[in-house]
Amino acid sequence: MKSATLNILGSNIVSQLLIIASTPLLTRIYSQSEFGLFGVATAIAIVLSLFMSLRLEHSIHVSVLSAKHLYNVCLYTIFGVTLVAIALLAIFSELSALSNSQNNWLIVLFGLSLAVNSASVLHLNFQRRFRTIAILNLLIPTVFIAGTLTVETPWEPANPLLFWQAIAYAASACLSVLVQRSSLIKPSIRDVLKALKLERGNWQYLVPSSILSILSLNMSVIGATALFDTSVAGLIVIAQRIARAPVSVIGNGLNEVLRASIPNRSHILSTFRIIASISIGMALAMTSFVYLTPEKIYSFILGEGWDGIKSVLIITIIGASLQLIGTSVISLLTSFKKRTDLQINFCLFVCGAFALLATKMFKLDIYAYLWLHTLLIASIYLTGFMIAYRIAKDETK
């Protein structure tokens, strides 16, 4: 697991450092409203990508089908659903959900690229090509940051943040497929239908589970947009951008390391314990750091118009800490307990919806809303972590 840890975790750390380092520059160029719109658009694109892939890629490590076969089935499924999405968007192009049709087309491109990239990375993980995964991890933030900081959006009036995010993922998706071109085959319709039948747990449980998870993760941004305005949502987007960086670095990276240990099940429990120790330690460290940093430091770094970010960030970092602990071992649920994963994400969604409804009914301010939302989801993340620990013990026996 040393190679996986060094390459995947190392690239995630560098990519998140790039994102954090670029944030003070981006907040001086783009407004809170632009960040708020970008946050909502990103959530929609991620949900779209889940429908495109039907989460078939999450069985690459454990499927009775060959990994190569399932990877190609997944690619054909993604492109088939994408054609349907393009046709629907062309027919209903005037129903612009995000200000203009350009943003809608960018969401489709973003969703397609994300779906292809996710499938390709998991196939690379199965092949233990961790250095290639590291390159892909670094490519996305590099293209995004370079574009947003140096080039004016060539497709007005599209949201510039959304434009470059879509381009960044498209570049990564193309490269991820290109480096695996020797693995590409053309599955028949029968092969696709067989895979859909054998891996029906993915589209029955993981698709709705993942959608609920994405909606839950973005509930505070969606709720702030609905209850307050896009400027408030932009404040939360920046807070999450900072707070969730360790989740992307440590949580997702370590989860990939744990996923790589699944084929050799005798290593699962020991790997789990190492990952849990790192996650808990990082959660405590980042919460303490944010709390002890003076508020004027945040205002100085982000620039004018971002006052009050520390209050939002403290609440967000607590939720991110629990998310970090749960995310680091989520592959055990998505591989072995798909129905349980759905149930956990359903509970997360219900908690987010309850916080939104309570805020509207009792006319709570933004801080009360964020605290209520954070405390409710914290208990669910801890529950998921404990269930994953039990799975690790059972699978090692």
Side-chain angles (χ1 to χ4, degrees), residues 141-187:
T142 301
V143 173
F144 174 77
I145 293 169
T148 51
L149 292 181
T150 62
V151 182
E152 292 186 6
T153 305
W155 199 19
E156 296 289 348
N159 181 284
L161 297 167
L162 175 61
F163 176 85
W164 286 110
Q165 186 80 317
I167 295 299
Y169 271 93
S172 180
C174 291
L175 180 60
S176 66
V177 173
L178 182 63
V179 298
Q180 299 183 86
R181 58 188 180 276
S182 61
S183 297
L184 297 179
I185 57 176
K186 184 178 180 180

Side-chain angles (χ1 to χ4, degrees), residues 7-17 134 137-138 245 248-250 252-254 256:
N7 285 283
I8 296 176
L9 193 56
S11 63
N12 278 335
I13 290 174
V14 174
S15 66
Q16 290 304 311
L17 286 175
N137 286 342
L138 292 173
S248 298
V249 173
I250 304 298
N252 294 337
L254 291 179
E256 288 297 315

